[in-house]
Amino acid sequence: MAASGKLASFRLPPLPTVSELVKLYKLRAEKQLSQNFLLDLRLTDKIVRQAGNLKDAYVCEVGPGPGGLTRSILNAGAADLLVVEKDSRFIPGLKLLSEAAPGRLRIVHGDILTYRMDRGFPDNISKPWQEDPPNLHIIGNLPFNVSTPLMIKWLENIANRTGPFVYGRTRLTLTFQKEVAERLTASTGSKQRSRLSIMAQCLCTVHSCFTIPGRAFVPKPEVDVGVVHFTPLIQPQIQQPFKLVEKVVRNIFQFRRKHCYKGLEKLFPEARRGELTQKMMQEADVDPILRPTELSIPQIRALVDAYASLCTHEPGLANYEYREQLRLKHLAKQRGTPTDIFSDPTTGTPASPQQPC
Ligand SMILES: C[S@@+](CC[C@H](N)C(=O)[O-])C[C@H]1O[C@@H](n2cnc3c(N)ncnc32)[C@H](O)[C@@H]1O
């Protein structure tokens, strides 16, 4: 049959199983690197199916470890799979896989947090942002300890069309600790709604695929795991610089059980807090006694736009950071220097009400 003939052309030849490889290379999971392996190929195939059709695709896999997910990606027909693994103990096993799939598996021994993915693939796979996503996917059973910082970094890359997103709207299929997966997909009013929900959903279509029970991993982690698929949006839901959106959203959620104005007012120096918060809430037409979790993305967009407009009129405002001021106050207290926490941190001169930052 033609179809099975085609399938046979990219399926891997017989190899030692992943469990055999783990034993062969005496690969004990390192807690420090959040190593929880998936050895059941039916599960890794299921994760890979969430990415869509990988026939002839370019793929970057994060943390391949003993290579279970790697095999599933190759069996799904990926033409060029680049794996980035920090732990050198896995490299020999990955080389074995690479020999079984000639020309299709490239191995980088490195750290995904610093790896330049914008240089990892040929330019000609790029697709303009307004068009369909490129035939490039990021897939990974992420180490828990890097998943959130990595996701924040990639969200910023999406906003700026840098890193893996120089090629266009690169899709991601990733695993997270179940609670983090729930936060990423949480809708307005949900208990799990958080900073991560807003930042992810204002830049991507975020889809929760399925949950993997902790017992499916070796060793078994304390928690279950959620698989999440992301497609960057053509038009972000909030069209302001990433750092500014992140600042407003961070402030909103710093007092997640209180009325939203409580967090928002900390965007402004104390002397002008009431006045500017009221101005921002009025301009955004948002009820100040809504809880952070009750705010919809259009309401958050209105708040961010109102804050951006205030910053345009008073450029110094954008530099004000409540937490930084608290830190300075704490330092001054430790040194016994009585200081006004709203003084200019660089010169030590008190800020006038007109020049709050
Ligand atoms: C949860 S394990 C998953 C291993 C394998 N993909 C699987 O599903 O069985 C995470 C993997 O990421 C690797 N890793 C941890 N931190 C990393 C980093 N910063 N960059 C690249 N790989 C990393 C670990 O060594 C480990 O192989």
Side-chain angles (χ1 to χ4, degrees):
M1 230 163 59
S4 58
K6 258 190 174 174
L7 200 70
S9 67
F10 56 70
R11 286 195 82 86
L12 294 167
L15 280 165
T17 64
V18 186
S19 312
E20 283 164 355
L21 272 187
V22 168
K23 279 193 198 126
L24 183 67
Y25 292 110
K26 297 190 175 64
L27 300 172
R28 253 205 2 254
E30 288 280 345
K31 219 174 171 177
Q32 228 183 353
L33 289 177
S34 296
Q35 290 176 343
N36 303 100
F37 306 138
L38 269 178
L39 306 180
D40 178 347
L41 286 194
R42 281 167 311 178
L43 259 179
T44 51
D45 283 350
K46 190 172 171 188
I47 296 176
V48 166
R49 280 198 298 276
Q50 310 307 313
N53 183 2
L54 292 191
K55 173 105 176 52
D56 298 330
Y58 291 78
V59 180
C60 175
E61 187 196 350
V62 187
L69 205 49
T70 319
R71 291 175 188 225
S72 293
I73 297 168
L74 290 168
N75 280 333
D80 180 26
L81 169 57
L82 172 86
V83 295
V84 182
E85 173 56 61
K86 193 170 176 178
D87 186 340
S88 60
R89 296 174 308 145
F90 295 115
I91 305 299
L94 291 167
K95 283 193 175 146
L96 207 68
L97 270 184
S98 173
E99 281 159 21
R104 294 172 60 207
L105 176 59
R106 292 182 286 142
I107 303 163
V108 172
H109 177 210
D111 187 332
I112 192 63
L113 288 165
T114 48
Y115 178 69
R116 294 281 309 260
M117 220 188 290
D118 54 342
R119 296 179 183 162
F121 295 93
D123 290 342
N124 63 6
I125 68 166
S126 302
K127 280 279 187 79
W129 197 265
Q130 311 296 324
E131 291 184 8
D132 285 343
N135 197 11
L136 168 64
H137 298 256
I138 297 175
I139 301 179
N141 173 20
L142 292 177
F144 290 151
N145 60 347
V146 294
S147 61
T148 306
L150 190 56
M151 201 56 225
I152 302 268
K153 178 181 152 165
W154 279 339
L155 288 172
E156 184 162 9
N157 285 159
I158 291 174
N160 300 328
R161 302 184 189 177
T162 53
F165 308 97
V166 293
Y167 305 102
R169 295 187 294 123
T170 303
R171 287 159 288 180
L172 308 102
T173 309
L174 304 168
T175 60
F176 295 90
Q177 192 173 324
K178 186 167 168 251
E179 288 67 23
V180 177
E182 284 171 351
R183 268 183 247 148
L184 282 160
T185 52
S187 49
T188 314
S190 134
K191 214 169 67 214
Q192 284 87 358
R193 186 84 153 169
S194 67
R195 178 168 73 112
L196 206 51
S197 331
I198 309 298
M199 296 312 292
Q201 294 168 30
C202 87
L203 287 157
C204 301
T205 304
V206 189
H207 169 63
S208 166
C209 304
F210 65 98
T211 302
I212 310 175
R215 65 181 133 76
F217 294 83
V218 181
K220 175 182 171 304
E222 299 289 304
V223 290
D224 292 340
V225 169
V227 180
V228 184
H229 183 80
F230 304 81
T231 309
L233 290 165
I234 293 179
Q235 197 81 267
Q237 294 211 54
I238 304 179
Q239 293 187 30
Q240 295 287 351
F242 181 88
K243 293 268 189 246
L244 189 118
V245 181
E246 207 271 331
K247 181 179 182 185
V248 176
V249 175
R250 178 165 26 90
N251 273 268
I252 291 176
F253 281 94
Q254 72 178 316
F255 305 115
R256 51 181 296 116
R257 288 174 201 281
K258 300 202 170 153
H259 296 147
C260 67
Y261 81 88
K262 279 282 178 200
L264 282 166
E265 65 181 9
K266 303 293 188 294
L267 284 166
F268 307 111
E270 194 170 25
R272 303 192 57 210
R273 215 160 257 172
E275 169 215 344
L276 291 172
T277 310
Q278 197 182 9
K279 210 168 166 184
M280 180 172 73
M281 307 283 330
Q282 269 170 2
E283 195 174 321
D285 193 21
V286 171
D287 184 349
I289 65 165
L290 284 173
R291 311 273 166 189
T293 51
E294 293 170 333
L295 292 170
S296 65
I297 291 194
Q299 285 171 320
I300 294 178
R301 173 172 53 229
L303 288 165
V304 176
D305 287 345
Y307 176 67
S309 150
L310 286 171
C311 291
T312 310
H313 289 108
E314 293 187 41
L317 275 183
N319 301 329
Y320 178 77
E321 282 289 351
Y322 172 66
R323 299 247 163 234
E324 179 60 10
Q325 294 299 320
L326 277 190
R327 194 182 67 79
L328 292 173
K329 184 188 178 189
H330 184 69
L331 268 181
K333 209 169 164 186
Q334 274 183 340
R335 289 186 191 137
T337 339
T339 187
D340 172 359
I341 69 164
F342 301 108
S343 62
D344 180 330
T346 51
T347 62
T349 46
S352 77
Q354 280 72 38
Q355 299 216 308
C357 308

